[in-house]
Amino acid sequence: FTYDPYLFVGFPDLCAFINKRFYFIEVKSERGKQSPDQLEFQRLAYEAKIPYILTNSLEDFRQQLSLFKEIKKTLARGVEK
C-alpha cells in the first residue's frame, strides 16, 4: 500500500471516456456494498453532473450506459425546442 495524498478516498474502480463523455464506474460483486467514502464520492460526481455507474456485471453496465445515452438524447431534444 502506498499513500497518495492526491487520490480521493472512495475513488471508483474505473474511469472511462465513452462517446466524448466521462464516466466513473464502480464495480461490485452481487453482494458487495459501497463504503461510506464511495457513497460520498458518488454524491460528489452527481453534483458535478458526471455519470457514475455502480455495476455488478458487464450486462448491467451496458444497460446503465444505454440509460445515460437515452437521458442525454432526451435532454438534447429539450434544448433544441
Side-chain angles (χ1 to χ4, degrees):
F1 176 78
T2 302
Y3 174 73
D4 185 346
Y6 301 103
L7 184 65
F8 286 104
V9 174
F11 197 83
D13 297 317
L14 303 168
C15 299
F17 281 105
I18 303 170
N19 297 327
K20 300 180 183 179
R21 182 89 175 146
F22 188 75
Y23 294 84
F24 289 122
I25 306 159
E26 179 64 32
V27 182
K28 292 290 182 195
S29 68
E30 285 289 329
R31 290 185 248 160
K33 294 184 179 183
Q34 289 175 286
S35 70
D37 290 325
Q38 290 170 327
L39 289 167
E40 176 63 11
F41 192 96
Q42 181 178 9
R43 185 189 67 76
L44 292 171
Y46 285 152
E47 282 184 10
K49 303 203 182 338
I50 300 171
Y52 183 103
I53 296 175
L54 176 61
T55 186
N56 59 18
S57 70
L58 182 56
E59 184 57 34
D60 180 55
F61 169 73
R62 288 178 176 155
Q63 289 175 351
Q64 290 191 57
L65 187 58
S66 291
L67 289 174
F68 277 111
K69 289 177 182 178
E70 287 302 314
I71 291 168
K72 186 178 175 184
K73 285 180 192 175
T74 301
L75 292 173
R77 282 194 298 265
V79 171
E80 292 172 359
K81 292 182 180 180

